[in-house]
Amino acid sequence: MQIEVKQQFSPAAQVHKFGGSSLASAQRFAAVADILQQQNPQQALWVVVSAPGDTTDALLAIIAAAENIAVRDAALNALQVQLTAIVQQTLAAEAAAIVSGQLRQWLAAVPDALVQQQLNDVLAIGERLSALLLSELLKQRGLNAVAVDARDFLRLKQHQPDWTASAALLAEQTQPDCIHVVTGYIARDDKGHSITLGRNGSDYSATLLGALVQAAEVTIWTDVKAIYSADPRKVASAVPYSQVSWQQACQLAQLGNPVLHARTLAPLTGTNTVLQVRSSYEPAQGGCCVVQPGLTEPGAAQQGFITELNDVTLLTLHQDTAITAARLALELQQPVIELSQQGDNLCWLLPAACAEQALAWLAELNVHAVWDTQRYYAVAWLKADQTQQAAVADQLLQQHAVLHRYENARQLIWLLGAPLPVAVLQQLHQQLILPTPALQLVVAGAGNVGAEFLSMLVTQQQRFAAKLKLNLAAVLNSRRAVLADNIAVTDWQTALAAGDSWHAEQLTAYLQALPAPKVLVDITPSSDFARLYPAFIAAGCDIISANKQGVTLPGAEYQQIMQALVQHQRQWLSNTTCGAGIPVQRTLQELLSAGDQIAEVSGIFSGTLSWLLCQYDGSKPFSDFVLDAQQAGLTEPDPRDDLSGKDVQRKLLVLARELGVTLELDDIKLQPLLPEGLEQGSWQDFWAQRDILDTELAAVFAATKAQGGVLRYVAVLSLQHGKVRASVSLQQVSQDHALAAIAPCDNVFVIRSGWYNANPLVLKGPGAGRVVTAGGLHADLAVLINQLIGKAAMPASLT
């Protein structure tokens, strides 16, 4: 569509439409104003508004009661009270008085309008109030705004927009550097009479306006955050799509989809305008983009949809008629679906309530149509792939009395005598849509290990792409966060550098809004962050943790996390909190689940101390080796956390709790490698006193070497004879001991059990380093991914 009028509108104009649910209260008006204030001030802003809440329904009831004066007046009074309350709660007193006065005038004129049959003027009151109220609220916030009655510029002729007249009139209404708040749903015909654009006509108003101002974007703000693969109120597994093709959007609109309406797309077809559907209740979500032909992003395939039509009927016409289904839909302002050609006849599906009107209109044009008078419930499947077969779905629907079936390459429609049970609709969705599951990934901690984890994520995304989408939905550190849908993994550093500061409530709310499934990967060293796990779990997140602080919190706090996991049926995978990439916890879990009994777990649990004691040969001070390890990224952020032995102590507590043993950190006997007092103060303070450590270690090393042994830092958890003993200490072991023959950085876990007693089970490998730790995190992530893939592949009857 091209408008043959030279215009002065900004090529970067935006149009934002807000429906009645987005404007149902003073709080919602404020939320809409917040959204508008966040838009790019360099772009011209046009806003289209519906009537507040259920105002249009109330006005229709008043029209229906026109002959009953008492009922009519009572309804008018009730509506005035309701709307006045919204005005007074939205605006400061002076502005509220002005708007309330205007509202009283409009409502006072209703009885005369009803007498004169000016019904569309009555129905326009809701939109006029929304436009006036929102423009005054924006002014109150210091913005230049004006209310515009769409009837002052929008002209339709025989249900079609008069582009030339509308563009010329709109140019007269346009003010420079101003937010124009325009009434939706209403317009005038070519004779100047007020008309309405049908149910949900405000969306149509928005796209008409978008075409007139040649908008770069039109955003339909509603109460859902996307266009779903099915009704999410009935189908819990409905997929919110971030992108839908224009052709499929037109199909959905034709089928009466509640988000996209039959006439909405027409004004923008063939333009460069981007159409967005977003939720005014969740403005942080990216919503869904309806993509024009030729503008589809790479990898954006056709989507699958299941949608329902209630109370529809069939018309049959001879195929040589000049009237099309689209022409009848325009006249009825209702969807009319051309199902198929059967012999010499056409078969159209339309709302049963419109059948008599359709027959009368067709009769005036000397077109004969047959109405079978049967009222149907319809289920429509829009195919993602033209080769998709419906055999399984047909079999599923056999027992539900399918009366008619119509199929072409793009869609299949079943007509039934009664609505499907929700459980069957869910099964149908499972069989036909077969969505590729998407896992929302939130990464907390972007240091050495975090950066390595994100670097590996690119490969993992490619590896699982055919079966699951790994979507990076947030990256944060202690200072800032980027909370955004589908962050490019290759550009996360840039995104994080441009991120904002964050707080716990904001992060939790964002996690709550993310679609499931979702997982938070904690690569921080923070106990405060770990204390937020119950809130994250309640928001629907599984947890993967390399942060030992969570697993070693005081018992009461640890139990809160465990209770939250049970309550919300979430998982907490923390295999990298002990042993980095070595699967020691997973091995213990498997032994216990198989019926074995663990008697003792011992070994070298610190890759850092393993490296230090393997490398230390007395050739230079021990602290120099510590500095080497720190620079190689082998230590905790403060290496004294390793030297204190507390890191090993925490890891032993991790394993104890993995085995169901009730222990606190202080129950584990600790002999630190760090001399007493050096844990105080800053790292610089320690470095000034490092000779104390160097002297003590040199003496112990010399004595051990003289006896032919080696130094190892050893943890022991004994569960024998009903007693629990736990200790961490520096020990001298002989050269032929199992803990002597290790490589620098190795962890060694020695497991004695009922099955592995005389010959214990030994796990050995690198226990420190960003690569092995990041790899261990990805191993935990793979567990969740494979569970999701398995669940997606499971027959619907078993899920």
Side-chain angles (χ1 to χ4, degrees):
M1 178 216 65
Q2 298 293 327
I3 301 174
E4 303 295 338
V5 175
K6 293 184 179 179
Q7 300 177 54
Q8 303 302 317
F9 303 115
S10 166
Q14 299 181 60
V15 175
H16 295 263
K17 178 265 174 179
F18 294 93
S21 61
S22 298
L23 299 166
S25 65
Q27 293 76 17
R28 296 309 311 156
F29 269 92
V32 167
D34 290 342
I35 291 171
L36 295 175
Q37 282 190 290
Q38 294 167 12
Q39 302 308 311
N40 185 347
Q42 302 303 314
Q43 293 184 303
L45 199 58
W46 296 79
V47 184
V48 175
V49 289
S50 296
D54 57 0
T55 300
T56 300
D57 287 336
L59 290 168
L60 285 168
I62 289 167
I63 291 171
E67 301 301 323
N68 190 328
I69 305 302
V71 172
R72 180 202 69 189
D73 289 348
L76 275 170
N77 289 335
L79 183 58
Q80 181 168 317
V81 170
Q82 175 188 340
L83 296 179
T84 300
I86 294 176
V87 172
Q88 292 175 342
Q89 293 164 16
T90 302
L91 299 176
E94 184 177 351
I98 295 172
V99 175
S100 297
Q102 180 63 76
L103 173 63
R104 281 194 302 273
Q105 290 181 28
W106 288 334
L107 292 176
V110 167
D112 285 344
L114 293 177
V115 170
Q116 298 172 32
Q117 289 296 299
Q118 296 173 340
L119 306 185
N120 291 329
D121 290 323
V122 173
L123 290 174
I125 291 173
E127 280 70 21
R128 295 177 74 188
L129 175 63
S130 288
L132 180 59
L133 180 52
L134 183 57
S135 65
E136 289 297 325
L137 178 57
L138 294 174
K139 289 178 187 177
Q140 192 169 284
R141 295 191 178 197
L143 300 172
N144 187 17
V146 62
V148 179
D149 189 329
R151 293 175 299 179
D152 291 339
F153 70 86
L154 192 54
R155 296 289 179 269
L156 274 73
K157 186 175 183 179
Q158 295 180 346
H159 303 295
Q160 297 285 5
D162 184 336
W163 295 112
T164 302
S166 297
L169 290 168
L170 181 57
E172 296 174 6
Q173 297 291 322
T174 303
Q175 298 184 22
D177 301 321
C178 183
I179 299 173
H180 297 80
V181 185
V182 182
T183 57
Y185 178 60
I186 56 177
R188 292 194 189 278
D189 62 19
D190 56 329
K191 297 180 176 63
H193 299 142
S194 291
I195 58 172
T196 62
L197 302 181
R199 278 292 186 179
N200 304 297
S202 292
D203 288 359
Y204 185 38
S205 299
T207 53
L208 287 169
L209 180 61
L212 286 167
V213 301
Q214 299 177 352
E217 288 186 356
V218 173
T219 302
I220 306 294
W221 293 90
T222 181
D223 54 0
V224 294
K225 64 183 178 182
I227 300 173
Y228 281 81
S229 59
D231 185 344
R233 296 167 298 181
K234 295 182 179 181
V235 180
S237 60
V239 181
Y241 292 130
S242 61
Q243 188 175 103
V244 173
S245 74
W246 200 266
Q247 173 259 322
Q248 283 194 308
C250 290
Q251 279 183 272
L252 283 172
Q254 185 187 45
L255 290 168
N257 181 274
V259 177
L260 292 171
H261 305 287
R263 304 178 69 185
T264 299
L265 297 165
L268 300 182
T269 300
T271 71
N272 292 323
T273 302
V274 175
L275 180 64
Q276 302 271 1
V277 176
R278 298 179 65 181
S279 170
S280 63
Y281 290 81
E282 299 179 55
Q285 297 295 317
C288 180
C289 179
V290 182
V291 184
Q292 295 270 12
L295 300 178
T296 305
E297 294 177 7
Q302 292 283 97
Q303 313 287 17
F305 296 89
I306 296 289
T307 191
E308 302 168 272
L309 297 89
N310 285 299
D311 200 20
V312 290
T313 194
L314 291 171
L315 291 184
T316 305
L317 303 89
H318 197 271
Q319 68 166 340
D320 62 4
T321 178
I323 303 301
T324 64
R327 180 68 185 88
L328 178 57
L330 190 62
E331 180 64 31
L332 299 177
Q333 296 191 31
Q334 294 288 342
V336 177
I337 304 153
E338 184 170 337
L339 294 176
S340 66
Q341 183 173 322
Q342 298 181 330
D344 292 334
N345 294 323
L346 300 173
C347 194
W348 293 350
L349 188 70
L350 70 161
C354 299
E356 291 184 359
Q357 181 186 351
L359 288 170
W361 183 77
L362 290 168
E364 289 179 3
L365 300 175
N366 295 318
V367 175
H368 178 67
V370 177
W371 175 28
D372 73 2
T373 71
Q374 170 78 41
R375 291 176 177 238
Y376 299 101
Y377 162 83
V379 179
W381 169 37
L382 271 65
K383 302 176 183 180
D385 180 349
Q386 294 188 7
T387 65
Q388 281 184 278
Q389 301 297 314
V392 175
D394 284 331
Q395 185 177 4
L396 180 65
L397 293 177
Q398 271 183 351
Q399 57 187 310
H400 295 282
V402 175
L403 302 176
H404 298 282
R405 181 185 186 277
Y406 302 92
E407 182 175 13
N408 59 34
R410 297 187 305 178
Q411 68 185 31
L412 193 163
I413 296 177
W414 294 272
L415 299 185
L416 299 91
L420 284 178
V422 168
V424 178
L425 193 65
Q426 291 174 337
Q427 286 181 292
L428 195 65
H429 181 272
Q430 180 70 23
Q431 296 292 345
L432 295 178
I433 303 305
L434 299 175
T436 300
L439 178 59
Q440 308 298 325
L441 196 63
V442 175
V443 178
N448 287 332
V449 175
E452 189 66 37
F453 175 85
L454 288 164
S455 175
M456 294 180 178
L457 185 58
V458 177
T459 301
Q460 297 293 73
Q461 285 179 322
Q462 295 170 349
R463 178 185 170 207
F464 290 106
K467 295 182 178 180
L468 178 137
K469 179 182 179 182
L470 272 174
N471 180 41
L472 183 60
V475 180
L476 58 138
N477 56 28
S478 59
R479 299 176 303 282
R480 60 184 68 238
V482 51
L483 309 176
D485 182 48
N486 201 16
I487 301 166
V489 178
T490 54
D491 198 34
W492 69 265
Q493 294 100 328
T494 303
L496 184 58
D500 299 319
S501 59
W502 62 276
H503 53 79
E505 293 79 6
Q506 175 192 13
L507 177 59
T508 304
Y510 178 74
L511 294 177
Q512 184 73 50
L514 277 178
K518 45 198 165 186
V519 59
L520 184 140
V521 183
D522 180 9
I523 319 176
T524 75
S526 169
S527 59
D528 287 338
F529 192 78
R531 287 186 171 93
L532 298 173
Y533 284 3
F536 298 157
I537 293 165
C541 290
D542 292 305
I543 305 290
I544 293 175
S545 176
N547 179 3
K548 290 177 284 293
Q549 301 290 347
V551 198
T552 58
L553 285 170
E557 293 181 271
Y558 176 76
Q559 286 304 319
Q560 286 181 356
I561 299 174
M562 301 306 291
Q563 290 165 8
L565 291 168
V566 172
Q567 179 183 351
H568 298 283
Q569 299 183 317
R570 297 291 99 204
Q571 298 183 69
W572 181 12
L573 304 179
S574 55
N575 285 285
T576 52
T577 56
C578 184
I582 302 173
V584 57
Q585 294 181 61
R586 195 168 290 121
T587 300
L588 291 173
Q589 293 164 4
E590 291 173 356
L591 290 175
L592 289 173
S593 64
D596 199 1
Q597 291 186 330
I598 308 300
E600 182 181 276
V601 181
S602 63
I604 297 169
F605 291 7
S606 169
T608 304
L609 297 184
S610 169
W611 188 92
L612 286 170
L613 294 174
C614 283
Q615 295 289 77
Y616 181 50
D617 58 3
S619 62
K620 61 181 180 179
F622 185 76
S623 59
D624 285 356
F625 288 95
V626 173
L627 189 60
D628 291 342
Q630 183 188 40
Q631 292 174 345
L634 300 177
T635 70
E636 295 291 323
D638 186 337
R640 288 177 298 173
D641 207 17
D642 298 292
L643 299 174
S644 70
K646 291 180 180 178
D647 183 54
V648 177
Q649 188 185 32
R650 281 194 292 268
K651 290 177 179 177
L652 193 59
L653 180 59
V654 168
L655 296 187
R657 287 180 169 170
E658 192 69 48
L659 295 171
V661 178
T662 302
L663 274 186
E664 298 290 350
L665 203 59
D666 291 341
D667 296 329
I668 300 173
K669 186 178 179 181
L670 173 65
Q671 177 195 350
L673 196 61
L674 191 70
E676 186 175 356
L678 293 189
E679 75 279 4
Q680 303 295 325
S682 66
W683 172 252
Q684 289 74 22
D685 295 334
F686 160 78
W687 196 249
Q689 305 176 71
R690 65 187 184 278
D691 58 316
I692 300 174
L693 171 65
D694 293 337
T695 301
E696 186 171 308
L697 259 294
V700 174
F701 176 79
T704 300
K705 185 176 181 181
Q707 296 177 32
V710 295
L711 290 174
R712 296 291 182 261
Y713 200 72
V714 181
V716 180
L717 174 67
S718 174
L719 308 175
Q720 301 182 62
H721 310 300
K723 294 183 179 180
V724 178
R725 293 193 299 275
S727 64
V728 174
S729 61
L730 181 65
Q731 295 184 15
Q732 174 184 322
V733 300
S734 62
Q735 292 281 357
D736 59 355
H737 192 280
L739 299 182
I742 62 171
C745 277
D746 269 1
N747 274 196
V748 182
F749 297 90
V750 181
I751 301 172
R752 294 186 182 276
S753 70
W755 300 347
Y756 299 92
N757 190 11
N759 186 16
L761 177 62
V762 178
L763 302 175
K764 182 166 69 171
R770 61 176 180 267
V771 174
V772 292
T773 305
L777 288 167
H778 275 289
D780 279 350
L781 180 59
V783 170
L784 288 180
I785 291 172
N786 287 321
Q787 289 174 356
L788 289 172
I789 292 173
K791 185 177 180 181
M794 189 179 298
S797 59
L798 300 179
T799 56

